Amino acid sequence: MLTDRQEDLLMAVALTEFSVHYEQADPELAEQAWQLAADCLVDHDVEPAEAVDALEIG
């Protein structure tokens, strides 16, 4: 079972992936996804490059 922090970080990683994959198709939506991800990472004091490692799963 994931902790609340891990769930938040997993969501941030997923939103980041979404923003990258949909940047060309819908730049506005991609930017919103990135902003949500960034806000979540700031809340947990995690840099984007550290998000996957911070999940501490697998």
Side-chain angles (χ1 to χ4, degrees), residues 18-19 22 26-34:
F18 177 91
S19 72
Y22 285 90
D26 192 336
E28 186 176 323
L29 184 59
E31 178 61 30
Q32 289 176 342
W34 168 246

Side-chain angles (χ1 to χ4, degrees), residues 23-46:
E23 187 173 23
Q24 296 298 319
D26 192 336
E28 186 176 323
L29 184 59
E31 178 61 30
Q32 289 176 342
W34 168 246
Q35 189 59 55
L36 287 170
D39 291 346
C40 181
L41 294 175
V42 166
D43 289 345
H44 291 283
D45 195 28
V46 174

